[in-house]
Amino acid sequence: MTVHATKDPTATAEREIVIGVVMMAGTAMVLQPGMDTVTKYLGGQIPPLQVAWARMFFQMLFTLPIVMAWYGLPGLAPRPYGLQILRGLFLSATVVTFTFAVTLMPLADAIALVFVAPLIVTALSAIVLREAVGPRRWTAVVVGLVGAMIIIRPGSGLFGAAALLPIVAAVCYACYLIVTRRLTTHSPPISTHFFTAVVGTAALSVPLAIGLLIGGPVITPSAPTAVQWGLLVIIGIIASISHLVIIFAYSRSPASMLAPLTYLEIVGASAFGYLVFGDFPDGWTWVGVVVIVASGLYVVLRARRIKTALPPDIQGPRTGTI
């Protein structure tokens, strides 16, 4: 008599959730801070604008065969085109300002300030989309911005104007998320991700071409060495892998469970920043980080509790892989 083993659906579901959690934690603590570390390193050697362009170009290049294999030619041009292009432009602005930010500031400080993005999304949702945002979430937004001020400490002379760059990156990223929310498309996420990289590559090619032709600070590209080209390729590979891993993580685990894990990126950034650049956040910076993280988590979890529709991108400020 043969006894056939049957699969336990509960155990299988739990295993899938664990896999999703591990994937998200690994992305937040290793992949994304690692990519940002390479970005900061290269930004001190070649123009940050060129680094941002290479990130978008190689992301496009390495995503292309995946889109073609899974969806063919139709997957290369997701609709609606207008919103897809606008989405790409906002993400391009985010990548550029963030690249400049991590080049000029300690890694963990810059990333912590970008974490105000979900708070800005909440404010924009009320102002632009006319969604109902109650006094509790408005309070969380204000408290989170106070946390950002604790990190920046205006007048302290710590970062100067450079501290505004991650705030600008957070605003651009929040606009990117709002546009993502308005997309009425059923295009696959990886297809949209590819098209965003296409738009970003095209947009950032314009100032670099102008710099190549007539010169000028910031926009004039340099000739990378073989090692620098290799590192630029690595940035694009990590960006593509991170997005794929996040897609798979969200297909296995509840978004509410993955949301807090994105904040582990600050831990990874602190470790990479200390090991590679000798930077480590001071006490006041950690106070600001705690305030921002607490406010961001409250906004996301409160929105879910009252059943406000949130796109997967804003479960954490880096889900869209800045």
Side-chain angles (χ1 to χ4, degrees):
M1 178 177 172
T2 302
V3 178
H4 296 282
T6 58
K7 292 184 178 180
D8 183 352
T10 302
T12 301
E14 290 178 351
R15 191 182 307 111
E16 289 294 305
I17 290 174
V18 170
I19 291 173
V21 167
V22 170
M23 294 173 84
M24 181 60 76
T27 301
M29 288 194 68
V30 180
L31 288 181
Q32 291 179 338
M35 178 177 65
D36 296 336
T37 300
V38 178
T39 297
K40 179 177 177 64
Y41 176 77
L42 283 174
Q45 301 178 12
I46 59 179
L49 181 62
Q50 189 175 357
V51 177
W53 173 87
R55 147 85 185 265
M56 302 300 284
F57 174 76
F58 287 113
Q59 180 176 311
M60 173 190 70
L61 201 62
F62 290 111
T63 308
L64 174 61
I66 299 174
V67 176
M68 287 295 296
W70 289 357
Y71 305 106
L73 287 176
L76 301 181
R79 299 187 180 188
Y81 299 133
L83 286 177
Q84 291 282 6
I85 291 173
L86 188 60
R87 182 181 190 269
L89 292 175
F90 276 129
L91 188 60
S92 301
T94 303
V95 171
V96 169
T97 50
F98 182 73
T99 301
F100 275 97
V102 297
T103 299
L104 299 172
M105 294 175 60
L107 195 61
D109 298 71
I111 290 174
L113 289 172
V114 174
F115 271 63
V116 302
L119 306 175
I120 298 173
V121 168
T122 300
L124 290 178
S125 297
I127 297 170
V128 178
L129 302 182
R130 303 296 182 184
E131 294 180 356
V133 175
R136 295 182 184 181
R137 281 189 287 163
W138 274 118
T139 301
V141 169
V142 173
V143 171
L145 295 178
V146 169
M149 291 302 102
I150 292 174
I151 295 175
I152 297 173
R153 276 160 280 171
S156 66
L158 287 178
F159 303 132
L164 295 177
L165 287 169
I167 299 297
V168 174
V171 172
C172 292
Y173 190 63
C175 292
Y176 157 84
L177 295 175
I178 291 294
V179 173
T180 300
R181 219 163 152 180
R182 299 297 294 175
L183 279 172
T184 54
T185 177
H186 297 290
S187 298
I190 192 64
S191 179
T192 296
H193 183 61
F194 165 78
F195 192 76
T196 296
V198 171
V199 173
T201 301
L204 299 183
S205 294
V206 175
L208 288 175
I210 294 174
L212 192 62
L213 292 174
I214 64 176
V218 180
I219 62 173
T220 301
S222 64
T225 65
V227 172
Q228 290 169 342
W229 273 119
L231 292 175
L232 290 171
V233 171
I234 288 173
I235 291 175
I237 292 175
I238 296 177
S240 302
I241 292 175
S242 295
H243 192 81
L244 286 171
V245 171
I246 288 170
I247 290 174
F248 289 133
Y250 272 97
S251 70
R252 286 166 168 76
S253 303
S256 58
M257 184 176 292
L258 298 180
L261 298 177
T262 59
Y263 291 93
L264 290 173
E265 186 174 353
I266 295 179
V267 177
S270 299
F272 277 104
Y274 178 73
L275 293 173
V276 179
F277 305 107
D279 298 327
F280 194 78
D282 60 19
W284 279 111
T285 297
W286 282 114
V287 171
V289 167
V290 170
V291 172
I292 292 173
V293 171
S295 301
L297 284 176
Y298 179 83
V299 163
V300 172
L301 298 178
R302 175 68 181 170
R304 289 199 157 275
R305 186 174 181 181
I306 62 177
K307 300 185 184 304
T308 297
L310 293 178
D313 305 64
I314 71 172
Q315 300 311 316
R318 299 297 304 283
T319 300
T321 62
I322 293 179

